Amino acid sequence: MIIDRAEVILTSPDRNFVTLRITTDDGLTGLGDATLNGRELAVVSYLEEHVVPLLIGRDAARIEDTWQFLYRGAYWRRGPVTMAAIAAVDMALWDIKGKAAGMPVYQLLGGASRDGLLAYGHASGRDLPELFDSIRSHLEQGYRAIRVQTGVPGLRSIYGIASNATSEENTGVRYDHEPAQRGALPHQEDWDTGAYLRHVPTVFEAVRGEFGPELPLLHDAHHRLTPTQAARLGRSLEPFDLFWLEDCTPAENPEALRLVRGHTTTPLAIGEVFNTVWDYQQIIREQLIDYVRSAVTHTGGITHLRRVLDYAALYQIKSGMHGPTDISPVGMAAAMHLGLAVHNFGIQEYMKHGARTDAVFQQSFTWRDGYLHPGEKPGLGVELDPDESGKYPYVRAYLPYNRLADGTVHDW
Ligand code: GCO
Ligand code: MG
């Protein structure tokens, strides 16, 4: 099992994806996801220029050693580009190990701790009728847990609202509601924290009134609040019993969460922009969160996210792995294998990929009655169709950003 070849495949079926394919001398192949939304080429270059030359000739079976070599052996540690590249290598090696063993990766991680993974989807609307329709449609698709994002009166367009989207067919510009938008420059959105804080609790009150007390509801604040604003939001949402409030404050400042925690019992989720266990060290040790939001793709792969989750388990903190459409089907498969195996699984984010993406990546997971399962194929269970991937060249794309009414750039 000596690594013979490692290729980086950049394809853009519904959006950009960066995939690493490793081939061994005995003909086994493994896939890893290295997609960094809006900064894809940085990881392509890191992989091609700096990592691939180090892989050729290595023993593909030595997953832990390869991880340590790529992490500790490089002087410059951490950061999203490095950790996405390491993640892709790690995933591909787990894929190969599974194929060599004839077992799905979750079996190599200790076997299933549950029958399936509860997953949540993204409902959204510019106003209540649109939001209610979106929630109903998600329930019809089988979702048993729902993230609720809402338009705010007075704001033109808000991130994460599906109906703000205009389709590629109509405008020539693709803008789905969890975009990086394909285009020359990032799209500008507007923001007003006061209006948001006044509006959101009224929306959750209406949603609870319509859909009852039992449906697990989640909300993402996308890092836009100060600690006092976040504390106020958490407290005002307590009557509506959220599953979690996500990214309430910018992720760089763990101390902010002490203040939030001191004022609200609304569960907190954070970490989709974190890359290592060290980013989590303080907030896990001080029990400042309830859910770890990392994706396998952005946190150094299965090997490293497993380490984060084992540490989190000491403090009754559970997984809530990031799963928007910018995590490729390979990254999603890795999340499902890991989520099935660890004891402290919480919930899995699951946004369906488009038909073109599903044609590029042949997958073997199942989605039934609100639960995901990675399937029983050896390895991760995903194969890439080279003819399909070759049809969709890379298109530069940016996530949007936002400004306040006076023109100030605001936190993401
Ligand atoms: C989520 C995320 C996404 C991200 C996107 C950025 O909770 O799913 O916040 O909406 O913004 O994945 O790449
Ligand atoms: Mg989020």
Side-chain angles (χ1 to χ4, degrees), residues 18 34-44 81 180 394 397-399:
V18 181
T35 307
L36 196 56
N37 197 11
R39 293 292 186 271
E40 296 86 359
L41 296 186
V43 195
V44 171
V81 174
Y394 166 77
Y398 290 100
L399 281 158

Side-chain angles (χ1 to χ4, degrees), residues 57-98:
R58 290 184 69 82
D59 182 353
R62 296 181 63 173
I63 300 179
E64 178 70 27
D65 182 66
T66 301
W67 195 95
Q68 301 296 344
F69 170 62
L70 293 177
Y71 183 82
R72 290 177 203 276
Y75 187 75
W76 308 105
R77 296 182 180 191
R78 313 206 279 174
V81 174
T82 303
M83 298 310 288
I86 294 178
V89 175
D90 186 77
M91 269 181 242
L93 295 184
W94 278 106
D95 195 15
I96 288 171
K97 197 179 273 295

Side-chain angles (χ1 to χ4, degrees), residues 290-371:
D290 300 276
Y291 295 94
V292 162
R293 278 291 285 147
S294 277
V296 176
T297 306
H298 300 137
T299 319
I302 292 171
T303 299
H304 196 65
L305 187 51
R306 170 95 203 223
R307 205 149 276 156
V308 175
L309 292 177
D310 285 347
Y311 178 44
L314 303 180
Y315 299 93
Q316 295 173 290
I317 297 170
K318 295 186 175 184
S319 74
M321 284 179 240
H322 195 205
T325 49
D326 48 286
I327 305 297
S328 89
V330 180
M332 285 302 293
M336 289 182 222
H337 286 279
L338 182 57
L340 201 66
V342 292
H343 177 254
N344 56 331
F345 171 81
I347 199 165
Q348 174 64 52
E349 182 179 22
Y350 171 46
M351 281 178 86
K352 294 178 179 171
H353 285 114
R356 287 183 286 202
T357 300
D358 288 341
V360 170
F361 297 95
Q362 288 143 14
Q363 300 158 67
S364 50
F365 76 95
T366 55
W367 163 245
R368 227 168 268 135
D369 300 329
Y371 289 85

Side-chain angles (χ1 to χ4, degrees), residues 92-170:
L93 295 184
W94 278 106
D95 195 15
I96 288 171
K97 197 179 273 295
K99 287 175 180 173
M103 285 184 196
V105 167
Y106 79 81
Q107 292 290 9
L108 305 179
L109 298 173
S113 289
R114 57 196 51 77
D115 301 328
L117 307 168
L118 178 69
Y120 74 90
H122 290 198
S124 64
R126 284 170 297 194
D127 52 25
L128 281 182
E130 224 176 64
L131 175 61
F132 286 5
D133 284 351
S134 174
I135 294 175
R136 278 189 205 104
S137 133
H138 279 79
L139 293 172
E140 280 158 21
Q141 292 169 54
Y143 283 102
R144 293 185 179 195
I146 301 208
R147 187 183 92 161
V148 170
Q149 301 300 119
T150 170
V152 174
L155 295 182
R156 283 188 312 278
S157 89
I158 294 188
Y159 185 71
I161 309 295
S163 36
N164 283 334
T166 50
S167 75
E168 198 165 14
E169 287 71 29
N170 294 337

Side-chain angles (χ1 to χ4, degrees), residues 120 147 220 222-223 246-247 272 293 322 349:
Y120 74 90
R147 187 183 92 161
D220 192 340
H222 284 121
H223 319 268
E246 175 182 345
D247 285 336
E272 68 181 49
R293 278 291 285 147
H322 195 205
E349 182 179 22

